[in-house]
Amino acid sequence: MTTKCTNRELLIYTISRLLEGVHHVAVGMSSPMPAAGAMLLRALNKKQGLGDVQVSILGSVKHNSFTSGSEELFDCAAQGRIGAFFLGGGQIDGKGNVNLVGAGGYPNSPVRWPGSYGSAYLYFLVPRVILFREEHSPRVLVDQVDFISAPGSTEEGVYRRGGPHALLTNAAIFSFQRDTGRFRLESVHRGRSAVDIREMTGFSFDNDRCEIETPGPDAETLALMRGQIRTELAETYPQFAASLPEAA
């Protein structure tokens, strides 16, 4: 087994790090990498004798205690029983706004996406929302979204316990600074530079000369990912699991 991780394995490991300290992680139906990251956190916590992590993956039979899908997810979020969730989007801007509706002027958007559904609701209620999108380009990371499905911040006086915690892409990690409503570059992935990130990002951000490289997993963690986590993931995402490296 090679000890050099792939880019997707780096993202899965990074997700597990971003989830540290969370006791209940909820994952949507089409989110194999967030699911793998949550599973990895659960396995690492168990190995280290830390607290149990509940992982609820919509659409899974084994890794889901919900019996009525998103309805129970929304109830749990309202009760404060979900610690982390993931949101993607066709567009994400520098203020943490997410667009899941379409590109161009709404309602006549020439490009349409699946829709907002419960994104705004969960964005307001879940304390740690991780924005995740593999593609890192000015097409996705824009200065201002064309439509706000879920706002990154709200005006003073509006009750909100949830919001963006971080933005993870295939090139970098950003943290979200709630006091300023801006992203801060925390690290760049192997093979990238701060110059690359500035050119690939459509919005301005803090710490734009960051030289920190995103840390990868050690050999023991990588073996865990290629063995136990890959096997667990196959129950819900068989095709994605099959695309990951297998333990020797």
Side-chain angles (χ1 to χ4, degrees), residues 104-188:
Y106 180 82
N108 300 314
S109 307
V111 177
R112 295 301 296 266
W113 298 314
S116 305
Y117 195 49
S119 57
Y121 177 85
L122 293 171
Y123 217 15
F124 270 70
L125 294 175
V126 178
R128 195 179 304 187
V129 177
I130 297 171
L131 303 177
F132 176 68
R133 183 68 195 264
E134 271 197 272
E135 180 182 342
H136 190 134
S137 72
R139 183 179 76 96
V140 173
L141 304 183
V142 299
D143 183 55
Q144 175 65 53
V145 296
D146 294 333
F147 181 89
I148 299 178
S149 295
S153 58
T154 50
E155 59 271 19
E156 190 175 346
V158 175
Y159 176 74
R160 179 175 188 170
R161 67 169 177 261
H165 173 71
L167 166 62
L168 174 63
T169 72
N170 65 2
I173 308 173
F174 299 86
S175 62
F176 188 74
Q177 313 300 299
R178 295 197 185 186
D179 55 339
T180 61
R182 287 172 57 86
F183 285 106
R184 181 182 189 275
L185 181 61
E186 296 295 341
S187 66
V188 297

Side-chain angles (χ1 to χ4, degrees), residues 20-94:
E20 287 178 357
V22 174
H23 300 294
H24 188 179
V25 183
V27 181
M29 285 187 176
S30 302
S31 304
M33 274 191 278
M39 290 174 176
L40 180 59
L41 173 70
R42 180 174 61 187
L44 289 172
N45 271 24
K46 184 175 181 179
K47 190 174 181 179
Q48 297 164 12
L50 302 176
D52 291 337
V53 177
Q54 181 179 350
V55 179
S56 299
I57 304 172
L58 295 181
S60 172
V61 174
K62 185 176 181 180
H63 306 286
N64 185 10
S65 60
F66 300 148
T67 57
S68 60
S70 56
E71 180 181 337
E72 285 181 87
L73 168 63
F74 295 159
D75 285 346
C76 280
Q79 295 164 19
R81 293 164 55 199
I82 303 291
F85 189 70
F86 298 84
L87 279 181
Q91 293 177 333
I92 300 170
D93 69 23

Side-chain angles (χ1 to χ4, degrees), residues 13 22 26 44 46-47 62 71 77 84 95 100 102 105 107 120 124 149 162 190 199-200 222 226 229 231 240:
Y13 175 66
V22 174
L44 289 172
K46 184 175 181 179
K47 190 174 181 179
K62 185 176 181 180
E71 180 181 337
K95 297 179 181 179
L100 288 157
F124 270 70
S149 295
R190 182 183 60 232
E199 292 176 351
M200 297 163 66
L222 194 58
R226 293 178 177 181
I229 304 308
T231 299
F240 181 83

Side-chain angles (χ1 to χ4, degrees), residues 2 4 7 12 16 29 49 60 73 94 100-101 120 127 171 183-184 190 193 195 202 219 222 237 239 245 248:
T2 176
K4 185 176 181 181
N7 195 60
I12 291 169
S16 74
M29 285 187 176
S60 172
L73 168 63
L100 288 157
V101 170
F183 285 106
R184 181 182 189 275
R190 182 183 60 232
S193 68
V195 173
L222 194 58
Y237 304 105
Q239 290 185 324

